[in-house]
Amino acid sequence: MAHERGYHIVYREHEINHCPGCGHTHWYIGRIMAECAFCQTALPLVSSSMVAGGQTIRTVNRRPVFDRAEHAFAA
């Protein structure tokens, strides 16, 4: 529930949005995130929950997993 998660900063279209990191108001707008043009602070769009069924954050570990120490070194 929204009241349980606390204060949640989001980028709102058609409003002046001040960056919480630097205070500027210039943004690069994507499909689900807005990024400050000055300090690169990223905020989710308030409308991103309506894009493609909601906002999904996925973490992928791209590092190879080695069983033995000798496989970790290049030949």
Side-chain angles (χ1 to χ4, degrees):
M1 300 300 289
H3 68 278
E4 293 174 350
R5 88 174 162 220
Y7 186 68
H8 186 68
I9 300 172
V10 293
Y11 181 90
R12 299 179 191 282
E13 284 189 79
H14 310 296
E15 292 184 21
I16 297 173
N17 293 276
H18 293 274
C19 175
C22 67
H24 285 95
T25 58
H26 299 306
W27 297 89
Y28 296 118
I29 310 301
R31 290 184 293 154
I32 61 171
M33 299 291 284
E35 182 179 293
C36 177
F38 290 91
C39 72
Q40 289 80 39
T41 296
L43 298 178
L45 301 178
V46 73
S47 61
S48 66
S49 62
M50 295 183 282
V51 176
Q55 185 176 6
T56 302
I57 299 172
R58 188 180 336 181
T59 303
V60 178
N61 187 1
R62 297 185 186 273
R63 295 181 185 174
V65 178
F66 297 106
D67 291 335
R68 291 181 269 160
E70 64 266 8
H71 291 155
F73 300 103

